[in-house]
Amino acid sequence: MSDDHSEPNSEQKKFLTKLFLGQNIGFRLGVADYDGFPDENIPEICFAGRSNVGKSSLINALTNRKNLARASNTPGRTQELNYFYVGSDDLHIVDLPGYGFAQAPKSKVDFWNKLIRDYLQGRQQLRRVYILIDARHGIKDNDKEIFTMLDKIGTSYQIIFTKIDKISETALAKTLTHNQDIVQSYIACHPRILTTSSEKKIGLDMLRHEIASFIPAYCHIGAQL
Ligand code: GTP
Ligand code: MG
């Protein structure tokens, strides 16, 4: 894996372009129940977070596609765990339904919450959970519940602040400092908060580099030079 502040070298840049902006990307399957998960041993990362924080939009932005993942103004749009393949069998990116969305029958919401929690706790292929937080709102109590759960089982996760185009630089700096203090107390949380805007395409290269570092072939290129 790359260290925190490393930049991709020229070979890695080519790899990233081919991986995220090439043709070998698409929807693999939607998982709605426990027996639906793919068996292949392909590394995967997932985007979790409250409803409407921009999980699906970030997948579209990373892959420079308009509608690969379905994004919408209506919270609760994503209703399955959607698997996208990137670079054929190099990597899966999983778009999760948002948590905290309760405009569905309680039994359904409870089932979803349990499925997502079990996935986050038990999925062997899962290399990192990215927890997306709307930069305007910061970390909320239901985010902290997920942090605590992931800490307990030692699943590595990292925070991404989304929609940074929606707040001023000053406000962003302030909320980052405050939230950086909060994440210090969570053991399995990566200490650095990433920042992105899908709308203005900010922070995407760095995130592509971080995500690709879970692909062995990408790390080998980094180690060779
Ligand atoms: P659920 O599937 O309901 O959990 O939502 P989600 O987290 O997948 O959010 P989605 O990507 O559907 O985006 C929600 C809304 O936020 C949409 O109207 C997007 O256009 C908007 N949005 C997402 N990312 C950005 C961003 O970086 N900047 C701005 N300005 N709007 C964004
Ligand atoms: Mg979504």
Side-chain angles (χ1 to χ4, degrees):
M1 219 191 94
S2 64
D3 73 24
D4 271 353
H5 302 288
S6 71
E7 294 282 328
N9 61 41
S10 58
E11 287 304 306
Q12 285 180 314
K13 281 182 184 157
K14 280 187 217 155
F15 190 108
L16 289 177
T17 304
K18 199 168 159 208
L19 187 67
F20 286 101
L21 307 175
Q23 296 304 309
N24 236 339
I25 286 182
F27 175 72
R28 178 144 283 156
L29 83 167
V31 176
D33 209 338
Y34 286 93
D35 54 12
F37 290 96
D39 292 332
E40 300 96 330
N41 192 19
I42 296 171
E44 72 193 46
I45 61 103
C46 72
F47 287 160
R50 291 197 308 273
S51 244
N52 215 42
V53 293
K55 300 176 291 295
S56 301
S57 301
L58 190 54
I59 290 179
N60 290 334
L62 284 171
T63 56
N64 203 25
R65 308 282 172 108
K66 278 209 160 53
N67 289 310
L68 183 61
R70 276 189 76 188
S72 152
N73 252 327
T74 315
R77 166 58 62 205
T78 305
Q79 302 209 341
E80 296 186 319
L81 289 88
N82 285 325
Y83 272 74
F84 298 94
Y85 62 89
V86 180
S88 194
D89 284 345
D90 284 326
L91 181 79
H92 280 148
I93 297 182
V94 188
D95 186 15
L96 298 187
Y99 47 80
F101 175 67
Q103 285 172 37
K106 186 171 181 309
S107 58
K108 200 173 174 194
V109 173
D110 288 349
F111 176 79
W112 274 110
N113 286 340
K114 186 166 181 330
L115 182 67
I116 293 168
R117 278 165 187 264
D118 288 350
Y119 164 79
L120 292 173
Q121 294 184 67
R123 180 78 175 157
Q124 282 234 316
Q125 290 87 336
L126 187 57
R127 297 292 184 271
R128 177 159 293 173
V129 177
Y130 288 98
I131 300 183
L132 277 55
I133 309 270
D134 188 320
R136 295 167 299 176
H137 306 143
I139 295 167
K140 299 279 187 204
D141 284 347
N142 49 3
D143 297 312
K144 289 180 184 169
E145 278 173 31
I146 302 282
F147 298 177
T148 304
M149 181 193 84
L150 295 172
D151 272 358
K152 272 194 192 133
I153 47 156
T155 300
S156 147
Y157 58 101
Q158 184 163 18
I159 311 300
I160 301 177
F161 269 25
T162 58
K163 309 191 189 183
I164 63 164
D165 57 288
K166 292 251 195 184
I167 61 169
S168 70
E169 276 184 34
T170 320
L172 178 62
K174 199 170 157 198
T175 188
L176 271 176
T177 306
H178 174 63
N179 285 274
Q180 209 95 54
D181 285 346
I182 296 177
V183 303
Q184 298 299 337
S185 57
Y186 293 91
I187 308 165
C189 186
H190 196 289
R192 190 163 55 105
I193 295 177
L194 299 171
T195 54
T196 59
S197 163
S198 299
E199 184 82 16
K200 300 275 188 242
K201 304 193 187 306
I202 302 169
L204 302 180
D205 281 340
M206 184 45 78
L207 184 56
R208 290 184 186 114
H209 176 48
E210 300 259 344
I211 291 175
S213 73
F214 297 104
I215 301 172
Y218 186 74
C219 296
H220 289 154
I221 302 172
Q224 273 164 16
L225 299 178

